[in-house]
Amino acid sequence: IAGKLGLFKNGADIFITPSEFLRMQLIKGGFPPEKIISVPNPAVVEANEKSHSKEDYAAYSGRISVEKGINTLIESAKDNPDINIKIAGDGPLKKEIESKAPSNVTFTGYLNKHELGIFLEKARFTIFPTICYETFGLAALEAMAYGTPVIASDIGALPEFIKDGVDGYLFSPGNSEELSEKMRLLWNDSSLRDKFSENAKIKAAHY
């Protein structure tokens, strides 16, 4: 009822969105542009007692569900049997994904905030294969704050803070072949990972 009466549009002085992407979506929906400002979420991560060196795995953390692109990730894992992938989290597809995942994929289950921080910091890179709009993508930015490059879907707000080929890679949502290619490039090139890592830290520090 409030929506039909225009109370949301007319009854507020200002709307704050976490990304320019969401701001534009509201404008497309008829909200007045002059009333909408974008204020990105900050990447606040736990300072570990000691730094952890990178280990031989790529990471996924989040909900194990269709909209998060988990099937795209599994297909890419099958194409790259030499790349070890660790999946942290839970969700409605967990049992199904566990049953069809190749041997280079392992599951950590739920991790608390401290464990997740170490998990992200140790990874060579993280994968964010969502196929739905992300209004910001804080999990990806947090990984960057730990100095871990991100390979993410080119969708929603993610391209606002991940610059393809500079501090991470972007790929077309749902395109497992393109994801596989980006994974191989980053997995096999340590100097590229180091460059992305430093750039990722700098980028995250500005949020």
Side-chain angles (χ1 to χ4, degrees):
I1 295 176
K4 291 181 179 180
L5 294 176
L7 298 180
F8 290 126
K9 295 178 184 178
N10 304 319
D13 293 324
I14 196 151
F15 299 92
I16 300 175
T17 66
S19 64
E20 185 64 18
F21 164 75
L22 184 54
R23 178 177 179 273
M24 295 307 299
Q25 292 300 110
L26 290 179
I27 291 172
K28 289 178 182 178
F31 283 71
E34 67 278 5
K35 283 190 173 185
I36 311 171
I37 61 171
S38 175
V39 181
N41 291 318
V44 180
V45 297
E46 181 178 281
N48 294 321
E49 295 177 0
K50 62 178 182 178
S51 60
H52 298 84
S53 58
K54 297 298 183 183
E55 296 184 0
D56 293 336
Y57 69 88
Y60 169 89
S61 64
R63 184 171 169 80
I64 303 176
S65 57
V66 172
E67 72 277 6
K68 293 300 182 180
I70 193 68
N71 288 302
T72 304
L73 175 57
I74 294 302
E75 289 304 309
S76 296
K78 292 176 180 178
D79 291 338
N80 293 282
D82 58 321
I83 298 179
N84 300 313
I85 299 171
K86 291 186 179 183
I87 294 177
D90 203 346
L93 289 188
K94 186 179 180 184
K95 289 185 178 180
E96 177 185 333
I97 294 300
E98 284 178 331
S99 68
K100 68 179 183 180
S103 60
N104 57 316
V105 176
T106 56
F107 297 80
T108 71
Y110 170 79
L111 299 178
N112 63 38
K113 187 173 181 62
H114 177 71
E115 293 169 333
L116 183 60
I118 295 174
F119 174 74
L120 293 174
E121 187 180 11
K122 286 183 176 181
R124 287 193 182 186
F125 55 84
T126 62
I127 305 164
F128 206 75
T130 181
I131 58 174
C132 68
Y133 284 153
E134 294 288 339
T135 57
F136 185 69
L138 184 59
L141 189 64
E142 287 175 343
M144 294 170 71
Y146 283 112
T148 302
V150 176
I151 302 177
S153 299
D154 189 2
I155 191 172
L158 293 170
E160 291 184 30
F161 60 86
I162 299 171
K163 190 169 183 180
D164 188 50
V166 175
D167 44 37
Y169 277 133
L170 296 171
F171 70 97
S172 303
N175 191 326
S176 62
E177 292 182 1
E178 190 178 350
L179 173 57
S180 293
E181 179 185 357
K182 298 294 176 70
M183 287 167 58
R184 283 193 293 272
L185 286 171
L186 206 49
W187 182 265
N188 294 322
D189 193 333
S190 59
S191 62
L192 183 63
R193 292 197 306 273
D194 289 343
K195 183 183 80 170
F196 280 12
S197 177
E198 288 304 312
N199 291 340
K201 283 182 181 179
I202 293 170
K203 179 67 70 64
H206 286 83
Y207 281 83

